[in-house]
Amino acid sequence: MKYLLVAGARPNFMKIAPIHKAFSSRRNGHSTADLLLVHTGQHYSRNMSDTFFRDLGIPESDINLEVGSGSHAEQTARIMMAFEPACLEHRPDWVIVVGDVNSTVACALTAKKLGIRVAHVEAGLRSRDMSMPEEINRLCTDAISDLLFTTDTLAVENLRNEGIAGEKIHFVGNTMIDTLRQQISRAGQLPLPDALVPGQYAVLTLHRLANVDSPECLALIMGAINAIADRIPVVFPVHPRTVSRLEGVELHPGIRTVEPMSYLPFLGLVARSRMVLTDSGGIQEETTVLGVPCLTMRPNTERPITCEIGTNVLVGTDPHRILHEANSILDGNTRAGTIPDKWDGHAAERIVEVLLNQPVQAPFLVSR
Ligand code: UD1
């Protein structure tokens, strides 16, 4: 059988790396699976894409759609228009998509409309916030997927409550955590920037549309971060979306802004930090596994398990709340947390096992 494995944006790369690896090791064991890697080009800058391929040992993509940036409609449409001929040319049995970015929904929809089966890795996460583009992407992708691989049991419940048939759903664990477990010892040996001392700095990431595209919201958040920087240095790798939004915003000298970092140095930075302040999705999960306190500056999360049993606290964007929780951590009030079931480094192997056991069924390829 033939598979197209799709990645497009930074948070996808650590999710596909172990799947690619698990397929390759099965191939060495004489599986006839044929896997092609598709990069949509949603992220294209060196430090948003290439460095991740290098750090994670992902081979160069077989197909690059080179779509680049645009409005949501433009970007999604461009991916669909470029992916359709690739599907028609390569005639895959399965298209595998990961996460919740525009590339995920665009490729899932294109494949499904051609009659190609779709597998969604990281299915079932729900923030219940339809103002998030990612929530729309999650709902649409899950509604049309033939196989839904989940990271936790809450996601399974979400899918069952939406009427998705139980036989399509497989609770396999978290491929992003597979990557973390494979890379953590290398990452932890890299030198810290600026001679930072382990446990004596915080890490900040901020790129969510709702936070950075509203000047008022960004000013409130940065006000709280400035106050935190009075107590501890804050390393802030600035996402390209956030760079221009920060112009004119006053930053405390204790905040060290740096370019977006590649996977290994960033993992090493987070692993040795005192705490992380973020609006990312994946970092909530990584900090839970690393046992690092995480304050998530959003009103909701699609990853509630990290708050229920992990080290994550949802603090919203109220500067008083952010500062209060950060001070509490700096005063030593941290909780250990536990690691969710099956975040054990073997999720990708489980996924590949399920995929290889699916019945052969010729795609019906309807293009008009
Ligand atoms: C996308 C995902 C988001 C994910 C984030 C991680 C969607 C809807 N959003 O958001 O879920 O958390 O990636 O980064 O898919 N840009 C560059 N270089 C690049 C890519 C982008 O400079 O390689 C700039 C462009 O100005 C672009 C902007 O960043 O317009 C935003 O990029 P885009 O892919 O639209 O969304 P992200 O904010 O990165």
Side-chain angles (χ1 to χ4, degrees), residues 211 215-228 277 295-298 315-328:
N211 285 345
E216 296 77 28
C217 188
L218 185 60
L220 286 175
I221 292 175
M222 291 315 298
I225 304 295
N226 283 339
I228 294 166
L277 298 118
L295 300 182
T296 297
M297 298 178 293
R298 288 175 38 191
V315 291
T317 52
D318 170 13
H320 302 291
R321 175 88 203 279
I322 298 171
L323 191 55
H324 172 79
E325 294 290 344
N327 278 332
S328 170

Side-chain angles (χ1 to χ4, degrees), residues 199-347:
Q200 294 184 28
Y201 61 91
V203 176
L204 168 68
T205 82
L206 208 52
H207 75 282
R208 200 63 62 191
L209 192 133
N211 285 345
V212 303
D213 282 14
S214 149
E216 296 77 28
C217 188
L218 185 60
L220 286 175
I221 292 175
M222 291 315 298
I225 304 295
N226 283 339
I228 294 166
D230 256 343
R231 289 192 65 180
I232 190 167
V234 179
V235 187
F236 182 14
V238 188
H239 185 282
R241 173 187 280 285
T242 313
V243 173
S244 59
R245 276 66 166 186
L246 278 176
E247 277 164 24
V249 177
E250 197 186 317
L251 297 186
H252 188 287
I255 300 176
R256 304 172 191 199
T257 57
V258 294
E259 295 268 305
M261 295 168 75
S262 57
Y263 182 76
L264 287 175
F266 185 71
L267 179 61
L269 183 76
V270 168
R272 287 169 283 179
S273 68
R274 180 76 165 272
M275 70 175 161
V276 173
L277 298 118
T278 191
D279 60 5
S280 152
I283 294 172
Q284 299 171 52
E285 297 181 340
E286 290 168 333
T287 45
T288 274
V289 172
L290 295 167
V292 171
C294 178
L295 300 182
T296 297
M297 298 178 293
R298 288 175 38 191
N300 49 55
T301 177
E302 63 289 333
R303 293 163 162 93
I305 198 145
T306 60
C307 299
E308 281 175 23
I309 65 169
T311 57
N312 189 22
V313 180
L314 263 190
V315 291
T317 52
D318 170 13
H320 302 291
R321 175 88 203 279
I322 298 171
L323 191 55
H324 172 79
E325 294 290 344
N327 278 332
S328 170
I329 292 167
L330 294 176
D331 292 340
N333 304 315
T334 55
R335 60 186 166 125
T338 51
I339 297 175
D341 191 20
K342 295 198 190 176
W343 291 18
D344 57 1
H346 300 289

